[in-house]
Amino acid sequence: MPRYLLTRLIVLVTQAFLVLTLVFVLFRLAPGDPAKLILGPTATPDQVDRLREQLGLDQPVLSQYGHYLGDIVAGNFGRSTSYSQPVLQVISGHLAATLVLLATSLAIAVTIGVAAGIFSAIRPRSVFSKGTLLVWVALLAVPNFWLGMLLIQLFAAKLHWLPAIGATGAAGVVLPAIAVAARLVALIARLTRASMLETLGEDFVRTATARGVSPARLIFLHALKPAAPAILTMIGMQAGYLLGGAVVVENLFSYPGMGQLLLSAVSQRDYPLMQGITAMFVLGFLLINLVVDLLCTRIDPRTRPLAGAR
Amino acid sequence: MSVQSTALGRVRSLPSSLLVGVVIVAVVVVVGAAAPLLAPYSPTKLHLLDALQGPSLAHPFGTDALGRDLLSRVVYGARYELSVIVPVIVLVTVVGVPLGMVAGYRRGWTDRSISFVSDSVLTFPAMVLAVVLVAIFGSGYLSLVVTITITQVPQMVRYARGFTGGVAAAEYLLAAKASGTRALGTLARHVLPNIAGSVVVVASLFASEALLVITALGFLGIGVQPPTPEWGTMLSEGRQDFTTSPQVMLFPGLAIAVLILGFNLLGDGLRDVVDKRNN
């Protein structure tokens, strides 16, 4: 395991390096002079020169690239032009909010998705099982921002159960988290159902039933365990959707997270901040997939590369 | 077999999801194409005195905050969404499939370099990449089409590479190779026809992803700009009033959901047909 972890970490660092390079290239593709764009048409040539110098744009591209990578390793993502603060400092407060939102979404998606999947797999011909399959098809067609609007309309405007837009505290997370989680709930429920139906038909399950293993133990230990790696892999595959969903849903709910910050950076033409946030999102994507891989090898030893095998 | 041989029987034997999907997409295409004939009012003309009316006989979907007829806007919206989705799907297929086929067929360093680039782009969450690209290149029509294409091409490369890998070991390919057919000829004549079905399945699922990205950008206010009746932009414009006048978000949102449902059912149904034929 430690050896596997080490190789996986080396892969992660290489990927991170490549992706950060891609972020750098992406932002150098911007047409025109970023300094001029940031300052707007009223800026004097003097001001533009000073900002160019501050952003390091007066140096050759390769040296800019070297500084960029070196700074990131040192934990410096540059200076936000709209906040006049280091990018990392601007990001840190919003990062926590987005992590809370994503963690809540994941918790909702896994709990409801797995529970619904189990119930519909136990009684595959029941009304519940068939009905939920239709619900999942419908849910996969609903965009998260529209679902968010429907939730606000129902729970905040009509029923007054939950605060709507711009709410702080735990109650303010619930509706945005549901909006982000919905698609994942549908995907996880379908996957759990399919995987459990397959496992429940296998010989070892029949043997276990014959041996007198209790139904609860049978479901959670024998039938659910094989579904776990598939569910984890699904979460890894949907990581991009989760992070992107946060951008859109945060905007609807005025939720003070990274997505909101990205959009405010876009409207302020704050390139250093945009670059820092993009880098964070991509690193987050890589980290989620690392955790998924590690958990999968934990649960299912077959996915672990053999020791010493090349 | 006798049931299968009549045209009606053949249609009946198709999966129902495919039929529903085809009907939904066809209806949206017709609505978009015939928008000027179908829309009862102008989609952009203001009638401030009629602002925020609920559904009525005169305005079946009601009116928005500027008094514009929502039915007419939703109808014209179909036209706009399709005018982005169709070129995106064509571009994604034309760029992604050949790259994926070459990667899957040649293997070696060609495969490694193509996969390397597409996998790197895939580490960007599509929505984040779209927001950044639009911020850098602007939100004009061309820029939107290119942006959404860039977010989808790497996935198409990956799929096409997988499909090609699946048929690359087949005997007819070995035969073609042995008889001295050049790689390009083999890909065009033997690989492409065999993966075309799977590519079409993936393309219809990409259409719903493309619709999600366009409408989300419109919703964020950085995609299609008002007063263009784009469904996501309409939702964005309705943000002020949707809790008191739900019609401003109900109908544009429903339109998005129905078209996504159509593309998804179409893709699922086509997959069933392709799987059955391949086995």
Side-chain angles (χ1 to χ4, degrees):
Chain A
M1 191 66 183
R3 192 202 163 98
Y4 172 66
L5 191 67
L6 191 70
T7 32
R8 199 60 188 73
L9 279 176
I10 293 171
V11 172
L12 178 81
V13 171
T14 330
Q15 279 176 326
F17 163 76
L18 293 169
V19 164
L20 289 173
T21 306
L22 220 61
V23 172
F24 178 84
V25 172
L26 185 63
F27 280 91
R28 291 303 166 282
L29 289 177
D33 183 346
K36 264 188 203 152
L37 284 173
I38 292 167
L39 292 170
T42 54
T44 63
D46 228 31
Q47 287 172 307
V48 173
D49 281 347
R50 223 174 313 134
L51 187 63
R52 282 179 64 85
E53 200 177 312
Q54 189 198 325
L55 295 173
L57 293 170
D58 51 343
Q59 292 165 15
V61 175
L62 264 182
S63 116
Q64 285 181 39
Y65 175 59
H67 280 295
Y68 161 80
L69 282 182
D71 283 352
I72 287 181
V73 172
N76 177 9
F77 280 79
R79 207 174 162 77
S80 154
T81 50
S82 60
Y83 285 79
S84 303
Q85 277 177 352
V87 166
L88 214 54
Q89 203 173 320
V90 179
I91 287 177
S92 57
H94 294 77
L95 184 60
T98 294
L99 289 178
V100 170
L101 174 63
L102 291 178
T104 316
S105 298
L106 263 183
I108 292 173
V110 172
T111 325
I112 300 182
V114 169
I118 290 176
F119 278 122
S120 62
I122 296 174
R123 305 230 181 292
R125 286 173 197 284
S126 64
V127 178
F128 175 83
S129 183
K130 287 185 178 151
T132 45
L133 281 183
L134 286 180
V135 172
W136 307 144
V137 171
L139 216 49
L140 286 175
V142 175
N144 49 27
F145 45 93
W146 189 48
L147 181 62
M149 288 177 124
L150 293 172
L151 290 170
I152 292 173
Q153 172 69 20
L154 180 63
F155 291 107
K158 279 246 163 67
L159 300 172
H160 301 288
W161 284 0
L162 286 162
I165 289 168
T168 48
V173 188
V174 179
L175 291 184
I178 295 175
V180 173
R183 171 179 164 133
L184 210 53
V185 170
L187 291 172
I188 291 179
R190 287 216 288 210
L191 197 64
T192 309
R193 180 180 189 273
S195 167
M196 282 199 53
L197 278 179
E198 206 185 308
T199 320
L200 287 175
E202 298 235 8
D203 287 344
F204 76 90
V205 173
R206 251 199 359 231
T207 314
T209 322
R211 250 187 20 227
V213 174
S214 78
R217 196 180 154 81
L218 187 71
I219 285 162
F220 286 103
L221 214 68
H222 294 266
L224 197 55
K225 205 178 166 191
I231 294 170
L232 280 169
T233 310
M234 170 71 80
I235 292 172
M237 278 163 60
Q238 294 293 320
Y241 163 77
L242 274 175
L243 296 170
V247 176
V248 184
V249 171
E250 282 179 8
N251 180 261
L252 168 64
F253 287 89
S254 300
Y255 186 86
M258 295 277 286
Q260 257 309 51
L261 194 62
L262 175 64
L263 290 164
S264 104
V266 167
S267 64
Q268 301 285 328
R269 300 210 153 273
D270 187 342
Y271 282 97
L273 187 55
M274 268 158 71
Q275 186 171 301
I277 294 169
T278 311
M280 281 291 171
F281 269 112
V282 178
L283 292 178
F285 178 90
L286 291 178
L287 269 178
I288 292 177
N289 276 289
L290 172 73
V291 172
V292 164
D293 276 8
L294 292 179
L295 284 175
C296 278
T297 54
R298 250 271 133 83
I299 296 169
D300 187 352
R302 280 172 305 178
T303 56
R304 212 176 290 167
L306 293 172
R310 292 268 157 155
Chain B
M1 260 343 247
S2 60
V3 184
Q4 299 270 321
S5 54
T6 65
L8 189 68
R10 234 176 288 150
V11 171
R12 273 204 195 130
S13 70
L14 292 172
S16 53
S17 54
L18 179 62
L19 298 178
V20 179
V22 166
V23 168
I24 291 177
V25 174
V27 166
V28 175
V29 169
V30 169
V31 166
L37 299 174
L38 294 172
Y41 301 90
S42 151
T44 46
K45 202 163 176 208
L46 312 184
H47 297 277
L48 293 171
L49 290 176
D50 299 331
L52 293 176
Q53 287 183 3
S56 64
L57 272 181
H59 299 283
F61 287 3
T63 60
D64 69 5
L66 299 173
R68 294 173 296 197
D69 179 56
L70 279 168
L71 173 62
S72 306
R73 287 179 69 69
V74 168
V75 164
Y76 270 92
R79 179 175 261 209
Y80 199 86
E81 312 299 348
L82 292 171
S83 75
V84 179
I85 294 174
V86 172
V88 164
I89 297 306
V90 171
L91 277 174
V92 168
T93 311
V94 169
V95 178
V97 171
L99 281 173
M101 278 168 58
V102 169
Y105 187 73
R106 293 300 290 262
R107 300 273 155 185
W109 70 266
T110 324
D111 180 23
R112 271 195 295 271
S113 41
I114 292 175
S115 301
F116 171 74
V117 174
S118 62
D119 285 356
S120 318
V121 179
L122 276 176
T123 51
F124 287 82
M127 206 51 231
V128 175
L129 184 58
V131 168
V132 170
L133 285 175
V134 167
I136 293 178
F137 296 109
S139 61
Y141 173 76
L142 203 64
S143 156
L144 276 179
V145 169
V146 172
T147 292
I148 299 169
T149 305
I150 291 176
T151 60
Q152 295 198 327
V153 161
Q155 291 187 58
M156 185 54 106
V157 170
R158 205 182 244 193
Y159 277 114
R161 176 179 175 272
F163 298 148
T164 308
V167 299
E171 272 154 22
Y172 56 82
L173 281 191
L174 293 179
K177 220 183 248 179
S179 63
T181 315
R182 305 255 298 271
L184 212 61
T186 312
L187 284 177
R189 242 172 297 148
H190 301 289
V191 177
L192 189 59
N194 280 290
I195 68 166
S198 311
V199 167
V200 172
V201 171
V202 174
S204 58
L205 296 176
F206 278 17
S208 70
E209 294 292 320
L211 179 58
L212 265 179
V213 178
I214 311 161
T215 50
L217 287 174
F219 178 77
L220 293 175
I222 56 177
V224 180
Q225 295 302 311
T228 309
E230 192 275 326
W231 295 335
T233 311
M234 291 169 70
L235 287 178
S236 175
E237 288 181 285
R239 283 198 205 192
Q240 293 294 322
D241 310 298
F242 78 92
T243 47
T244 47
S245 307
Q247 77 270 13
V248 296
M249 66 102 174
L250 214 51
F251 296 107
L254 209 54
I256 303 173
V258 167
L259 186 52
I260 293 180
L261 182 71
F263 284 133
N264 285 351
L265 290 177
L266 185 68
D268 288 350
L270 282 174
R271 177 177 314 164
D272 289 350
V273 174
V274 170
D275 283 355
K276 207 189 277 176
R277 207 187 53 185
N278 284 354
N279 289 334

